[in-house]
Amino acid sequence: MIKIGPVRRRGLLVAGVMFAGAGLATGLRPSRLMSDTLGVPRLEDVFPVAFGGWRVDTSLPVILPAPDVQAQLDKLYNEVLARTYVNADGVRVMLSVAYGGDQSDATSAHRPEVCYPAQGFAITENFADTVRVAGRDIPVRRLMSHIGGRHEPITYWIVVGDRIVTTGIGQKLAQMRFGLRNIIADGLLMRVSTIDADMAHGHLVQSAFLAELGSALDDRIAARVLGACPESAAGSGHAC
Amino acid sequence: MSKLSEPVGPAAQARRLPILPAGTDVMLLGLMLAAFAAMYGPSYVMLAQKIWPTDEQGHGPIILGVALYLLFGKRHALAALPSRPDKPMGFALLIIGVTLYALGRSQFILFFEVFSQIFVLAALVLLFSGRQGLRLVWFPLFFLLFMVPLPGSLVASVTGPLKSAVSAVAANLLHHLGYPVGRAGVLLSVGPYQLLVADACAGLNSMFTLEALGLLYMNLMNYTHAVRNVVLALLIIPIAFAANIVRVIILVLVTYHFGDEAGQGFIHGFAGMVLFMVGLVLMLFTDRLLGLFFRGHNQRGSATTGSAS
């Protein structure tokens, strides 16, 4: 017969709380991959090679990332697309899209203000902005970077599940919002950049490029690239 | 716990303290260990498989080992304390810890998951021993902080500027010594070579590890003067910074004189060792200097060193 004194009774209570915590953690773990239900988008196919005034620039040699960078990319993303588009005036815009099916901790999309400096770039400007794409304002992050004499303005956003995020915390919160509903969110990083010492001009070119690109995407993929309509805008009759 | 496996003669055994303090409630201890294992067993499996093998978190198992060793050494002193449980505080900490754990473990927030064990352990001490007990074992519990993987975004936002600063100072020094060094951000060029100061070389982790070593050193030396400890702990930050600069300079010089392969091969690891040696020597030197300032206030505490370990 085991004697249960007050100390042991407290022990049972404490152990109960701890075992419950362990059970809760297992139970709350999301198990359904969003990418399994929606499918992994074939980035090569869903982004048109020519739209509006832009077409893929085939005159430039494709620059492959260094092997160590490539290894890191393969680990983080299921699909990566890197293209350079050019318009009739010879303006070039680099588009880079990365898709990852599992946005849980170790494999979530890397924000450019983190990975550009890792490649030796210095980030001199970093601010929030919006770009009008397909009839609505997409919240984006604008950066200015340079390495040596190469100046590269950048515009980017990240979609976690169906939400656009532009901060690290936002990314984590969006991932948790899905996670607590048993869904492992997927993520998509959209980044455009130009070589331009004039930051404002570069960002303007990028906005124009994104507006044309957005209207050239088909609806299904647009929802994943631009995020779902925010609830407030959905009822207001906007083209969304 | 490796002490258990040492073959010990009966004479030696008699002189040693028993593994469990007299009067331990084995059943209760077993229950607590089982509950702890149910929570953190899977976490440790994951840490061992995914986190500890990385460059950034290689110090994790060492921190854990040291903390366990220190805790193990305090077991008799802890058991000897009169039991005065602080139930409200204990249960509050327990709930906080378990909630953090459940959220962190289920939503892949490693920081919460590993951090929560400090709350849980502190709660157990409060619930079965009391505040005095917590005062006795606070250091090993606090030390566990150093094995908590920091959130990636925080590491990145600190590492970036740190890397730039380390590269800038290293490049300037080398330039003044007459080397053909150029710098663009964290990209150093020396002669025909280009070196990218990588994240792992940058120093947030080395800063962390040195800080951990410094605190351990102060603890083992039984320093009791709070101001002196805080000053030394703060000075370790510039010390680690300086050690990182030395490391980058070594790598640049090796690359310049012996070529790219030497710089990336054996020497790269060796420069890491040098970083810690430089850091430790600077730390001990700083400690001596502080000793001059704080003389009289701060004896080695030799009266209290007779701990069970």
Side-chain angles (χ1 to χ4, degrees):
Chain A
M1 187 66 202
I2 298 169
K3 242 185 77 187
I4 308 251
V7 177
R8 281 188 169 180
R9 200 171 305 131
R10 195 180 317 138
L12 281 175
L13 181 59
V14 170
V17 172
M18 289 170 74
F19 279 118
L24 197 64
T26 314
L28 285 178
R29 259 198 167 202
S31 56
R32 282 193 296 131
L33 275 172
M34 198 173 228
S35 55
D36 285 346
T37 17
L38 292 173
V40 174
R42 301 274 316 141
L43 298 180
E44 284 286 346
D45 304 333
V46 299
F47 284 91
V49 291
F51 60 87
W54 301 90
R55 61 183 169 74
V56 169
D57 184 2
T58 45
S59 69
L60 292 173
V62 177
I63 300 166
L64 293 173
D68 57 326
V69 177
Q70 187 63 50
Q72 174 83 354
L73 286 174
D74 290 345
K75 205 166 70 185
L76 286 174
Y77 305 114
N78 302 106
E79 286 262 326
V80 179
L81 175 76
R83 277 182 187 164
T84 303
Y85 286 87
V86 62
N87 71 3
D89 302 327
V91 177
R92 289 192 167 78
V93 175
M94 290 168 284
L95 168 72
S96 170
V97 188
Y99 173 85
D102 181 355
Q103 288 300 293
S104 57
D105 211 34
T107 50
S108 58
H110 279 195
R111 289 173 300 129
E113 59 259 51
V114 174
C115 53
Y116 265 69
Q119 299 303 311
F121 282 81
I123 303 284
T124 50
E125 295 276 348
N126 179 353
F127 57 95
D129 198 3
T130 57
V131 174
R132 194 142 187 95
V133 180
R136 60 199 180 97
D137 292 321
I138 304 292
V140 299
R141 199 109 209 135
R142 306 275 205 186
L143 307 177
M144 182 64 185
S145 72
H146 72 90
I147 183 167
R150 170 179 162 141
H151 296 266
E152 190 173 339
I154 302 162
T155 300
Y156 85 92
W157 69 84
I158 290 171
V159 188
V160 174
D162 60 0
R163 277 163 201 273
I164 293 190
V165 296
T166 50
T167 61
I169 299 280
Q171 199 176 345
K172 193 77 216 173
L173 284 176
Q175 175 199 323
M176 271 175 65
R177 208 153 22 215
F178 286 99
L180 289 171
R181 303 200 316 246
N182 194 28
I183 299 167
I184 299 172
D186 60 3
L188 186 130
L189 167 72
M190 271 290 281
R191 187 191 77 206
V192 292
S193 62
T194 45
I195 305 291
D196 198 333
D198 180 349
M199 177 183 77
H201 177 257
H203 284 156
L204 217 60
V205 169
Q206 293 163 15
S207 298
F209 173 85
L210 285 168
E212 286 191 71
L213 175 62
S215 45
L217 293 174
D218 76 56
D219 288 348
R220 258 180 53 100
I221 194 68
R224 300 182 81 173
V225 172
L226 306 176
C229 284
E231 279 96 37
S232 53
S236 62
H238 272 290
C240 176
Chain B
M1 303 280 168
S2 60
K3 276 189 162 182
L4 286 180
S5 54
E6 276 174 35
V8 199
Q13 216 156 23
R15 261 184 276 118
R16 292 197 169 202
L17 288 160
I19 288 151
L20 289 178
T24 304
D25 185 340
V26 181
M27 199 122 36
L28 186 62
L29 182 67
L31 182 66
M32 288 303 119
L33 285 178
F36 193 80
M39 285 175 80
Y40 293 102
S43 304
Y44 276 109
V45 170
M46 184 265 298
L47 282 174
Q49 285 173 346
K50 293 194 181 156
I51 307 297
W52 289 344
T54 63
D55 275 354
E56 294 82 21
Q57 294 295 332
H59 59 277
I62 302 166
I63 301 286
L64 178 67
V66 169
L68 284 179
Y69 177 76
L70 291 175
L71 273 179
F72 189 67
K74 302 249 189 220
R75 68 198 183 284
H76 288 285
L78 188 62
L81 285 176
S83 170
R84 262 191 236 110
D86 183 344
K87 287 187 219 167
M89 193 67 177
F91 275 112
L93 279 186
L94 185 68
I95 299 294
I96 294 173
V98 169
T99 309
L100 269 183
Y101 163 84
L103 201 61
R105 171 116 193 102
S106 68
Q107 302 306 315
F108 310 97
I109 312 169
L110 206 52
F111 174 69
F112 282 5
E113 182 178 346
V114 182
F115 189 41
S116 68
Q117 68 175 343
I118 298 173
F119 283 89
V120 172
L121 288 172
L124 292 182
V125 174
L126 280 176
L127 285 169
F128 295 103
S129 172
R131 288 187 182 213
Q132 274 183 299
L134 195 56
R135 215 165 291 137
L136 188 71
V137 299
W138 76 272
F139 183 76
L141 295 189
F142 170 78
F143 201 63
L144 284 173
L145 264 185
F146 289 100
M147 67 168 285
V148 178
L150 293 173
S153 48
L154 178 69
V155 174
S157 59
V158 181
T159 303
L162 211 59
K163 270 194 338 186
S164 293
V166 166
S167 323
V169 177
N172 268 326
L173 279 173
L174 285 167
H175 183 75
H176 282 293
L177 291 175
Y179 281 93
V181 175
R183 182 182 77 93
V186 293
L187 199 64
L188 294 177
S189 55
V190 53
Y193 303 105
Q194 282 205 324
L195 290 138
L196 182 66
V197 179
D199 275 1
C201 312
L204 184 64
N205 294 294
S206 56
M207 211 166 258
F208 241 64
T209 315
L210 268 178
E211 193 72 53
L213 279 172
L215 292 180
L216 181 63
Y217 168 78
M218 289 182 240
N219 185 258
L220 293 179
M221 297 294 277
N222 270 314
Y223 286 167
T224 48
H225 195 283
V227 177
R228 178 179 181 173
N229 284 349
V230 170
V231 169
L232 184 55
L234 287 178
L235 282 177
I236 290 175
I237 296 170
I239 287 174
F241 187 77
N244 266 303
I245 292 168
V246 172
R247 175 190 184 149
V248 170
I249 287 179
I250 289 177
L251 284 177
V252 170
L253 290 181
V254 167
T255 306
Y256 182 67
H257 290 289
F258 303 104
D260 209 14
E261 292 195 349
Q264 288 310 309
F266 163 74
I267 299 295
H268 197 265
F270 178 71
M273 300 279 288
V274 169
L275 178 142
F276 280 103
M277 291 193 300
V278 171
L280 280 178
V281 168
L282 281 176
M283 188 180 83
L284 293 178
F285 181 70
T286 311
D287 180 49
R288 280 288 134 80
L289 275 183
L290 286 179
L292 296 179
F293 282 106
F294 289 99
R295 193 165 32 192
H297 301 283
N298 191 75
Q299 320 84 329
R300 284 277 205 79
S302 49
T304 54
T305 28
S307 71
S309 63

